[in-house]
Amino acid sequence: QVVAAAVELGLVDAIANGERDARALARATNTNEPSLHRLLSAMVTLGLCKQDDDDHFSLTATGALLRKDTPESLAAWATLSGTRFLEQWGRLAESVRTGQSIRKRSEAHDDFSRLDEDAQAAQLFNQAMVNLTTPIALDVVQAVDFSTARCVMDVGGGYGQLLCSVLAANPDVQG
C-alpha cells in the first residue's frame, strides 16, 4: 500500500522532479505534510528513498522504478497491485476454502472479459503487463531462437510488448 499510495499521489515523480523536503513535497502533491512525512518514512524503510540529515528525501534505484516517465517504470503494476488486486488477495483464504477464484465468486466469470466494459481498468491492466514484460523482453529474445519461426503470437495481457521485441530482433518473422 505504501508503494501504491506513493505512485497514486505522484510522490515518486515529485521527488524525481527535484522536490526534496516534506513541505515542498506536500505542496507538490496536495497532501497533508505530517501524513506525507509518515509515508516518506515508510518509503525509507522499504528502501524506495533515502532521507538525509537535513530531512530531504531522494529516490533510490528501486524507488526510481516507480516513476511514471521512464521505460522501466513499474508504476502501473504498483497501482494495479495496490488497488484492483488488493481486494482479491485479501480473500485468498476464501478461494482456498472453496476452490473458486474470487473473480468467479464475485463477478460470475473467471477471465478478463470485465476489461471490455471498463476502459480505465483495461488501460491500467495493459500498462501493468507492459511494465512486467519490458525488463525481460530482451532476455527472451536472446534466449529463444526464433530464426526458424514464420509466425509468432504473443498471447497474454498488455499491448504486445514481447511480440514487438521479438519482431524487432527477427525481421523475417511475422507476428
Side-chain angles (χ1 to χ4, degrees):
Q1 288 310 106
V2 168
V3 173
V7 170
E8 179 182 338
L9 294 170
L11 181 56
V12 173
D13 295 320
I15 295 171
N17 290 334
E19 302 295 344
R20 300 286 189 236
D21 64 65
R23 175 172 286 133
L25 289 166
R27 279 193 306 271
T29 59
N30 195 30
T31 56
N32 175 270
E33 183 182 340
S35 298
L36 183 69
H37 199 281
R38 287 189 292 276
L39 179 62
L40 287 161
S41 295
M43 290 174 66
V44 169
T45 300
L46 293 174
L48 301 174
C49 62
K50 295 183 279 187
Q51 181 178 8
D52 67 20
D53 293 336
D54 292 330
D55 207 27
H56 288 87
F57 296 87
S58 60
L59 293 176
T60 63
T62 302
L65 293 172
L66 299 171
R67 292 178 59 179
K68 294 177 184 172
D69 63 347
T70 63
E72 61 276 355
S73 175
L74 294 173
W77 178 250
T79 301
L80 184 67
S81 296
T83 55
R84 299 188 186 271
F85 287 169
L86 181 66
E87 179 187 348
Q88 293 172 351
W89 281 111
R91 296 173 64 190
L92 179 60
E94 182 181 337
S95 287
V96 173
R97 264 198 283 306
T98 65
Q100 291 185 333
S101 75
I102 292 305
R103 280 196 308 241
K104 178 105 176 164
R105 291 176 58 80
S106 61
E107 300 171 22
H109 53 80
D110 199 20
D111 59 17
F112 295 98
S113 60
R114 67 174 168 66
L115 297 177
D116 294 336
E117 301 154 8
D118 186 343
Q120 185 177 7
Q123 193 281 329
L124 178 61
F125 176 81
N126 287 312
Q127 188 58 50
M129 295 301 102
V130 169
N131 283 178
L132 294 178
T133 304
T134 299
I136 62 145
L138 184 58
D139 293 335
V140 170
V141 168
Q142 291 174 345
V144 178
D145 179 10
F146 292 97
S147 64
T148 60
R150 289 184 300 191
C151 186
V152 175
M153 182 185 305
D154 180 357
V155 179
Y159 295 119
Q161 183 68 35
L162 182 58
L163 180 61
C164 290
S165 298
V166 170
L167 297 178
N170 298 276
D172 294 333
V173 176
Q174 292 185 339

